[in-house]
Amino acid sequence: KWRQHLRFLLEVELNNLLEKYRKNDLVDITGVVITIRNMKTRYGSCQSVKRKITINEILVHYDKKIIEYVFLHEIAHLVEPNHSKKFYQLLTQLCPNHKALKRKLNSLKE
């Protein structure tokens, strides 16, 4: 029951982010499906062709800004599938403080 409740809270947060970024000018997120899973090695993944984003359920325990960073990182992959220069340019437009948030996220792993 508790795990279901935590997943529900994360789902609510992700739906809020979908709504917040629905009309952004950088990435079309129409029809994107988000799933929540227990992932061993990643915080998120994106299947750009299928328009499917998977988010690690562990993020429910993290600050909302971290969840938003992972969400934005994954939606940037809808446009740029790899970690190219263009990808990071887009991510910087979506999330100007992404480097600081990534450092914070990495520090939480230790």
Side-chain angles (χ1 to χ4, degrees), residues 21-48:
Y21 290 98
R22 190 167 53 90
K23 292 184 178 173
N24 80 84
D25 296 332
L26 300 168
V27 181
D28 176 15
I29 60 173
T30 311
V32 167
V33 174
I34 297 182
T35 56
I36 299 168
R37 275 189 37 217
N38 180 7
M39 300 165 76
K40 300 251 185 270
T41 60
R42 299 170 180 219
Y43 291 109
S45 66
C46 177
Q47 295 175 299
S48 54

Side-chain angles (χ1 to χ4, degrees), residues 13-72:
E13 187 58 32
L14 292 167
N15 284 330
N16 289 340
L17 290 169
L18 275 172
E19 187 57 34
K20 178 178 178 179
Y21 290 98
R22 190 167 53 90
K23 292 184 178 173
N24 80 84
D25 296 332
L26 300 168
V27 181
D28 176 15
I29 60 173
T30 311
V32 167
V33 174
I34 297 182
T35 56
I36 299 168
R37 275 189 37 217
N38 180 7
M39 300 165 76
K40 300 251 185 270
T41 60
R42 299 170 180 219
Y43 291 109
S45 66
C46 177
Q47 295 175 299
S48 54
V49 175
K50 292 183 178 180
R51 300 188 62 72
K52 180 180 176 187
I53 291 172
T54 304
I55 299 292
N56 192 332
E57 65 185 19
I58 192 86
L59 291 179
V60 74
H61 299 290
Y62 295 0
D63 185 90
K64 287 183 178 188
K65 287 287 176 196
I66 297 288
I67 296 170
E68 186 170 13
Y69 158 69
V70 173
F71 171 84
L72 292 171

Side-chain angles (χ1 to χ4, degrees), residues 2 5 7 9 19 23 25 31-32 37 41 44 53-54 61 63 68 82 90-92 101 103-104 108-110:
W2 182 241
H5 179 68
R7 285 175 68 106
L9 293 176
E19 187 57 34
K23 292 184 178 173
D25 296 332
V32 167
R37 275 189 37 217
T41 60
I53 291 172
T54 304
H61 299 290
D63 185 90
E68 186 170 13
N82 53 36
L90 175 59
L91 185 56
T92 299
L101 290 167
R103 277 194 300 276
K104 184 174 180 180
L108 296 171
K109 281 196 279 192
E110 298 166 359

